[in-house]
Amino acid sequence: MASIWVGHRGTVRDYPDFSPSVDAEAIQKAIRGIGTDEKMLISILTERSNAQRQLIVKEYQAAYGKELKDDLKGDLSGHFEHLMVALVTPPAVFDAKQLKKSMKGRRDESLKVDEHLAKQDAQILYKAGENRWGTDEDKFTEILCLRSFPQLKLTFDEYRNISQKDIVDSIKGELSGHFEDLLLAIVNCVRNTPAFLAERLHRALKGIGTDEFTLNRIMVSRSEIDLLDIRTEFKKHYGYSLYSAIKSDTSGDYEITLLKICGGDD
């Protein structure tokens, strides 16, 4: 069994003998029958890869003339509804060519961080955006595309100290279009390390009330990438498993679905 995971750090893989038409029909029956068959929905949508789920979405639309996410919204409710809709929503796409072009051969690859430079860059970003009319896009581009990822992580922490806002909120508030997408993609690359995401999951589960938006986003988006590594970091830092944290903080079909995505206890 262990050999299945070699070279694969996600918890969700392509389902063998996959048939989008068979799955679409089973989902339609699960939704349209007398009472929703939640077990069937969970079984199909948590055991198919994202690419396979998108084929089911297309097949469902073709066969029944309706958006699968709309039918799920109409038939489910609460956290469970939001998670199931997240599973059938295409992952966020950014302009990869533009990102590659802006970064190619120019980014500092050093692992060393300079605290003084981070404070200086954070101040420049603040003056370029939040603290003036209009946004100095060249300053944003220069810093976000040239500094190393470890350096940027420190800069983002300093930025929050100066502005009392997260860099993501500032980018969304000041920029738009492809340029906004590009810079947000870089921020996500900097932050999407297993340790960082484990910390975000811990906060989402242990805050006042569950932050289900963050929980859903990370669990779904990383399920095919590095959720196994995130689980390892979670256990290492907090002394208990992500699986047990989900179990103690969620309930019902929402809990069942998250635990299936999580893929096991550590």
Side-chain angles (χ1 to χ4, degrees):
M1 187 72 184
S3 63
I4 292 176
W5 301 107
V6 172
H8 181 85
R9 303 304 297 160
T11 55
V12 175
R13 300 198 61 164
D14 280 338
Y15 187 77
D17 303 319
F18 169 65
S19 168
S21 58
V22 169
D23 284 347
E25 185 180 352
I27 288 172
Q28 206 264 349
K29 283 179 181 172
I31 292 173
R32 293 288 164 229
I34 300 168
T36 308
D37 186 348
E38 288 90 351
K39 283 185 179 175
M40 177 61 75
L41 290 178
I42 294 168
S43 172
I44 293 173
L45 293 178
T46 62
E47 293 176 17
R48 308 298 187 267
S49 67
N50 179 68
Q52 290 176 331
R53 292 195 300 270
Q54 296 314 308
L55 291 174
I56 294 170
V57 168
K58 285 182 182 174
E59 185 65 35
Y60 193 94
Q61 170 79 41
Y64 307 109
K66 290 185 175 182
E67 290 274 358
L68 176 52
K69 68 177 180 181
D70 292 339
D71 276 358
L72 290 171
K73 283 179 183 178
D75 212 56
L76 308 174
S77 62
H79 292 345
F80 180 53
E81 173 208 327
H82 298 154
L83 180 55
M84 299 307 274
V85 169
L87 282 167
V88 300
T89 302
V93 177
F94 60 86
D95 193 335
K97 286 181 182 174
Q98 190 176 355
L99 178 64
K100 193 173 180 183
K101 183 181 176 185
S102 72
M103 292 165 54
K104 190 176 181 182
R106 298 169 61 204
R107 184 177 297 282
D108 177 12
E109 298 299 333
S110 169
L111 295 177
K112 290 181 182 176
V113 292
D114 181 333
E115 200 168 322
H116 176 71
L117 180 62
K119 286 182 174 162
Q120 187 179 300
D121 282 350
Q123 198 67 248
I124 290 169
L125 288 174
Y126 179 61
K127 286 177 181 172
E130 288 290 331
N131 203 29
R132 56 167 294 202
W133 294 104
T135 302
D136 188 342
E137 295 183 357
D138 287 344
K139 293 292 183 188
F140 271 88
T141 306
E142 184 181 332
I143 291 171
L144 268 68
C145 291
L146 295 183
R147 302 289 186 255
S148 71
F149 282 0
Q151 183 67 35
L152 283 175
K153 194 171 184 304
L154 192 59
T155 300
F156 297 158
D157 290 342
E158 291 293 342
Y159 184 88
R160 180 180 274 281
N161 291 337
I162 293 168
S163 68
Q164 304 303 306
K165 284 180 78 171
D166 189 79
I167 189 73
V168 166
D169 296 326
S170 292
I171 291 171
K172 286 180 177 177
E174 293 291 323
L175 305 169
S176 61
H178 281 309
F179 188 62
E180 177 192 353
D181 293 341
L182 168 66
L183 296 192
L184 288 176
I186 294 171
V187 174
N188 283 335
C189 285
V190 172
R191 288 180 164 171
N192 281 350
T193 63
F196 177 81
L197 293 172
E199 190 260 339
R200 291 295 304 275
L201 284 172
H202 183 255
R203 275 197 285 165
L205 285 161
K206 291 300 162 196
I208 300 170
T210 304
D211 177 0
E212 54 108 4
F213 175 80
T214 298
L215 187 55
N216 293 353
R217 184 178 61 79
I218 295 174
M219 294 296 289
V220 172
S221 67
R222 310 308 289 190
S223 63
E224 293 177 61
I225 302 170
D226 56 1
L227 193 49
L228 289 173
D229 294 326
I230 293 168
R231 276 169 40 182
T232 300
E233 291 290 336
F234 195 99
K235 181 72 178 281
K236 184 170 84 177
H237 284 92
Y238 306 111
Y240 54 92
S241 67
L242 175 59
Y243 191 94
S244 65
I246 291 169
K247 209 168 174 50
S248 66
D249 208 60
T250 60
S251 60
D253 291 320
Y254 184 55
E255 175 196 341
I256 292 167
T257 309
L258 283 171
L259 292 177
K260 285 205 72 172
I261 295 170
C262 187
D265 205 350
D266 296 303

